Amino acid sequence: MYLGVDYYPDYWPEELMEEDLDGIVGLGANMVRIGEFAWHRMEPVDGQFDFSFFDGVIRKLKSKGLAVMFGTPTATFPAWLAKKHPSVLSKDEYGRPRAFGGRRQYCFNSAEYRRYAARITAKLVRHYRDESAIVAWQVDNEFGHEGSDMCYCEQCHTAFQRFLERKFEGDIGALNETYGTIFWGQTYNRFDEIPIPTATITTHNPALRLDWARFRSYSLNSFAKEMAAIVRENKGAHQTVTTNVSGGFFDKWFDHAEQAEAFDFMSYDNYPVWGGLAEPITPAHIALGHDFNRGLKDKNFWIVEELMGAQGHDVIGYLPRPGQAKMWSMQAFAHGCTDMLYFCWRAMNRGAEQFCMGIVDHDNRRGSKYEEVRAVFREITPYGEALQSEIRSDIAVLYDYDNIWSWRIQRQSEAFDFTKELLRLYTPFHSLNCHIDVIPATRDFSKYKVLLVPALQIIDRELGERLARFASEGGTVVFSFRTGIRDRDNNLHFGMEMPGYVADMCGLTIHAGEALANGRREPIVSADSTTSGVCEVWRDLLRPTTAETLYRHDSVFFPEAAVTRNVYGNGVVYYIGGGVDSDILNEIARSIVKTRQIWHIESEPGVEVYARNAGNKQIWFVLNHTDKVRTFKGRRLEPYASFVVPAEEI
Ligand code: GLA
Ligand code: ZN
């Protein structure tokens, strides 16, 4: 088990290193991550490589017994490269080159960039292939983050046209037919006539825009895979390869699960709060991040950037309360993190991240945050073996990046946000402290008892049949709104009653739908008129065929069903026909976990309890996410308290 910090010796006078490393060892740390932004330090002039500084750093780290994760530095290329080869700079949708000065402002389709990135990566990894202290390589840094997944340059345009020519096997007629380019007279005679969806009047063709999203994912992932392959072919056998996933993973233009195939394990940067946020994201939203990363390879993961201090570039975020960052750390371990590095030992007092605070502030004193990290390392170390255990879940959330991109291309409702709609189904089960996997819809989901399927528009025949088989064989499926309306090309199904290939298993057809934007919330009422609720974002008007109506729209014009339940074969299928409120979804979740006998445990609002196997015993992570005193099983939980306890002791 590795525990440690992100350390930037290249930012500080060398005479600070001894004191820094003693402080890091004093935490109980045994690893540091270095180097992910240090390209210029290792190649100060084109083609002249100098690893002597990091040779000295690694000697020093080894003398302190610290292992190393080394970051390949392709997220921040040197100024001389941008000057010599401006084609490496990515371009925004107005064709403007992104200025040198931030980070990741490179184009994935720049041949020059790939050549230079490949060279520094190979040189670096080969130089340290026999270095026993370096046990892991991190490729680049947070691929696609901060808008770097999108580029509209000429190289990307040409590459996109080639991408389409391959996809349609050179048949421009097939592309026209698939896209429906007859509409608005957009028929193409040649692939080199096809635009990239830069700013235009009104909007581009939805099928083209989905292929453009797929091309962005292909561009980014092919770069990531090329770099990972270079690390793999040059590294030592004792060294592993990972990359670090940033937050906002559903807001990116690349398929993370596809990229994860290139890595030995995935690493995550856990920031429950960032920038100008007045409050952290919800406990369920934080937990979703861990469950998503665990699902990428169906495997436990590392955290290589765990928040300890307030974060922000130009605007600073919320200051974690005493114990709160420790509680977030323990939550990460609960959900499958096996090894953790904090960001960072000390915030840099110059440069763009002066306000991205670490364990030690600019006073260079070891204060309360230092003690908080020591407490985490002290408390978690006894459970190192238990953290390696597999997390088994009866519940899985299904997602599909094509579908997410389709929603980003056409939001349909101004209020739509995919992550919010996924959390609408996820949170009620998280509140019951159930284990939940978050996996691609392409994965085999037959082992689960319950599938949560948020806003899945794109359902083709194959997926429809798999979902129907899952339900008929006894599974429970919870769909939400706009389900099944599209085919794989991002076009609306024609000649089928919605929800298309899953209409039969849902036991209903959809009469029509309406966007509920700008805060509109429409009333719904239970079939027996005893309880009411609201619907926001969108409402589907459901006409049951075999389904039971649980709630209907409380509207004179639209008396159709809003929430239904259908017995299908040996299973049950719920359809949540809109952005239905949590009271109703909590009631449905509770009914499902009880009838399906899914492990769950009651806890006060804001208290999260996560059970892990430790050999033939169970340990419970108990987390108070609130600023209030709470109790759990008679134990008093101070605000933001967190602890691990053998289940039999509580
Ligand atoms: C991200 C990056 C780090 C740093 C931190 C600051 O996770 O990976 O380089 O920018 O955020 O919070
Ligand atoms: Zn480009």
Side-chain angles (χ1 to χ4, degrees):
M1 173 191 233
Y2 287 107
L3 301 168
V5 301
D6 302 325
Y7 185 47
Y8 299 90
D10 39 329
Y11 291 176
W12 303 97
E14 288 201 39
E15 53 270 18
L16 266 182
M17 202 185 309
E18 185 72 26
E19 168 197 327
D20 284 347
L21 297 185
D22 288 343
I24 291 168
V25 170
L27 287 168
N30 60 3
M31 173 178 270
V32 296
R33 182 189 72 179
I34 58 174
E36 76 273 23
F37 300 127
W39 186 335
H40 184 275
R41 193 63 186 263
M42 296 184 271
E43 188 184 1
V45 174
D46 187 350
Q48 293 179 24
F49 299 93
D50 175 5
F51 298 107
S52 58
F53 172 73
F54 281 104
D55 292 348
V57 169
I58 291 168
R59 271 196 301 277
K60 185 73 91 178
L61 293 173
K62 286 172 84 168
S63 73
K64 302 289 183 182
L66 290 165
V68 178
M69 173 182 279
F70 207 124
T72 64
T74 50
T76 49
F77 53 87
W80 56 256
L81 176 51
K83 178 80 176 166
K84 190 168 185 177
H85 297 288
S87 66
V88 305
L89 291 167
S90 59
K91 291 188 174 180
D92 67 18
E93 73 164 310
Y94 300 97
R96 298 171 303 200
R98 287 174 176 135
F100 180 85
R103 60 182 172 183
R104 272 190 306 270
Q105 66 278 25
Y106 61 83
C107 170
F108 294 107
N109 290 304
S110 158
E112 287 300 347
Y113 195 74
R114 293 221 179 191
R115 183 164 66 83
Y116 278 89
R119 188 174 67 174
I120 182 64
T121 300
K123 291 277 189 188
L124 169 62
V125 177
R126 198 176 299 131
H127 181 76
Y128 290 120
R129 67 188 314 159
D130 299 324
E131 177 47 70
S132 60
I134 298 177
V135 297
W137 292 98
Q138 173 187 296
V139 174
D140 205 281
N141 189 77
E142 294 193 328
F143 277 116
H145 200 33
E146 296 160 335
S148 58
D149 47 5
M150 201 47 94
C151 174
Y152 294 87
C153 79
E154 294 72 12
Q155 296 151 143
C156 286
H157 191 167
T158 306
F160 178 51
Q161 291 168 341
R162 281 203 301 270
F163 174 84
L164 294 177
E165 195 155 11
R166 286 195 302 274
K167 173 182 177 181
F168 289 96
E169 297 172 345
D171 181 350
I172 193 68
L175 178 140
N176 284 316
E177 178 57 26
T178 301
Y179 284 14
T181 54
I182 190 68
F183 185 80
W184 282 355
Q186 294 177 352
T187 302
Y188 301 108
N189 295 333
R190 300 161 45 93
F191 285 92
D192 63 7
E193 295 171 0
I194 296 170
I196 54 178
T198 50
T200 185
I201 303 292
T202 68
T203 182
H204 283 273
N205 177 295
L208 180 143
R209 294 174 73 182
L210 180 56
D211 271 343
W212 171 246
R214 288 164 170 159
F215 169 73
R216 296 314 310 167
S217 182
Y218 167 78
S219 301
L220 188 151
N221 284 346
S222 70
F223 177 81
K225 289 175 181 177
E226 182 182 344
M227 296 302 117
I230 290 168
V231 174
R232 216 173 277 290
E233 114 200 3
N234 288 285
K235 72 176 183 65
H238 66 293
Q239 297 168 338
T240 52
V241 193
T242 187
T243 192
N244 55 333
V245 174
S246 72
F249 36 82
F250 287 133
D251 300 330
K252 298 287 189 304
W253 295 106
F254 72 97
D255 183 330
H256 289 59
E258 197 245 336
Q259 183 186 98
E261 294 164 7
F263 299 104
D264 294 326
F265 60 91
M266 294 310 281
S267 298
Y268 181 45
D269 294 346
N270 185 34
Y271 291 97
V273 68
W274 161 259
L277 290 184
E279 293 292 332
I281 57 176
T282 66
H285 195 164
I286 306 169
L288 166 63
H290 302 309
D291 295 343
F292 170 82
N293 277 279
R294 191 178 72 246
L296 289 177
K297 293 185 74 73
D298 212 4
K299 183 177 182 181
N300 292 341
F301 56 96
W302 286 36
I303 297 258
V304 293
E305 294 184 23
E306 179 68 24
L307 176 144
M308 182 40 71
Q311 300 294 313
H313 283 156
D314 301 342
V315 176
I316 308 173
Y318 168 98
L319 182 63
R321 283 33 179 170
Q324 191 171 21
K326 169 178 179 289
M327 182 270 295
W328 286 330
S329 307
M330 300 303 268
Q331 180 190 28
F333 284 120
H335 283 259
C337 169
T338 54
D339 305 76
M340 179 178 284
L341 306 177
Y342 279 90
F343 183 89
C344 57
W345 168 244
R346 178 178 50 233
M348 180 59 168
N349 65 320
R350 294 161 294 152
E353 295 204 331
Q354 303 166 317
F355 299 133
C356 293
M357 307 313 286
I359 297 169
V360 174
D361 290 336
H362 298 124
D363 61 8
N364 206 27
R365 299 279 184 276
R366 297 171 201 170
S368 60
K369 293 187 285 182
Y370 185 87
E371 293 311 319
E372 200 163 323
V373 173
R374 261 164 52 99
V376 171
F377 290 175
R378 186 175 57 248
E379 288 181 31
I380 202 63
T381 298
Y383 299 104
E385 190 182 335
L387 297 181
Q388 297 296 332
S389 67
E390 179 191 2
I391 292 172
R392 289 201 177 84
S393 306
D394 288 325
I395 302 167
V397 175
L398 301 186
Y399 68 86
D400 168 55
Y401 269 100
D402 278 351
N403 180 60
I404 295 168
W405 296 329
S406 174
W407 278 111
R408 289 187 73 187
I409 290 164
Q410 294 171 288
R411 287 177 71 185
Q412 303 177 54
S413 166
E414 279 304 326
F416 184 87
D417 172 90
F418 178 77
T419 301
K420 181 180 157 193
E421 292 312 319
L422 184 151
L423 285 168
R424 194 186 297 275
L425 300 187
Y426 175 100
T427 302
F429 293 91
H430 174 265
S431 301
L432 291 169
N433 298 303
C434 300
H435 287 182
I436 306 169
D437 287 352
V438 181
I439 59 171
T442 50
R443 188 98 34 102
D444 174 14
F445 44 66
S446 56
K447 69 180 182 181
Y448 295 102
K449 289 184 177 179
V450 179
L451 297 180
L452 307 179
V453 189
L456 186 61
Q457 301 175 87
I458 297 179
I459 298 181
D460 58 13
R461 181 188 301 278
E462 182 274 335
L463 179 56
E465 288 170 353
R466 279 201 299 134
L467 288 165
R469 186 162 54 249
F470 173 84
S472 64
E473 290 173 358
T476 301
V477 182
V478 182
F479 290 112
S480 75
F481 55 89
R482 300 300 268 164
T483 291
I485 63 171
R486 291 181 186 273
D487 63 23
R488 274 267 157 241
D489 295 310
N490 202 27
N491 296 321
L492 297 176
H493 286 303
F494 177 68
M496 294 170 83
E497 288 202 289
M498 291 305 105
Y501 289 109
V502 294
D504 187 34
M505 67 185 284
C506 291
L508 58 87
T509 59
I510 299 174
H511 164 57
E514 180 184 35
L516 303 177
N518 308 318
R520 258 185 76 194
R521 294 156 65 90
E522 293 295 335
I524 60 177
V525 64
S526 60
D528 61 6
S529 301
T530 54
T531 50
S532 60
V534 290
C535 203
E536 60 181 3
V537 182
W538 183 273
R539 60 179 172 180
D540 277 341
L541 308 182
L542 311 179
R543 288 182 176 169
T545 50
T546 56
E548 169 199 1
T549 297
L550 301 181
Y551 286 81
R552 59 180 168 76
H553 296 290
D554 189 4
S555 154
V556 289
F557 299 107
F558 305 128
E560 279 85 359
V563 180
T564 60
R565 179 181 181 279
N566 187 46
V567 175
Y568 184 74
N570 297 323
V572 173
V573 180
Y574 291 82
Y575 193 99
I576 314 295
V580 165
D581 66 77
S582 57
D583 290 345
I584 293 173
L585 295 176
N586 286 336
E587 172 198 319
I588 291 173
R590 192 177 297 280
S591 157
I592 290 172
V593 298
K594 289 190 182 313
T595 50
R596 300 307 313 276
Q597 297 174 321
I598 291 170
W599 190 95
H600 66 284
I601 192 161
E602 301 288 348
S603 60
E604 291 179 12
V607 174
E608 180 176 0
V609 180
Y610 204 90
R612 292 295 297 274
N613 292 327
N616 57 358
K617 296 186 185 310
Q618 248 195 9
I619 55 173
W620 287 1
F621 286 78
V622 181
L623 313 163
N624 181 1
H625 285 274
T626 76
D627 58 358
K628 306 282 187 302
V629 170
R630 291 283 196 246
T631 56
F632 175 70
K633 297 271 186 191
R635 279 206 189 190
R636 178 187 170 90
L637 307 180
E638 296 301 330
Y640 306 117
S642 58
F643 58 87
V644 186
V645 61
E648 71 268 13
E649 288 182 16
I650 196 165

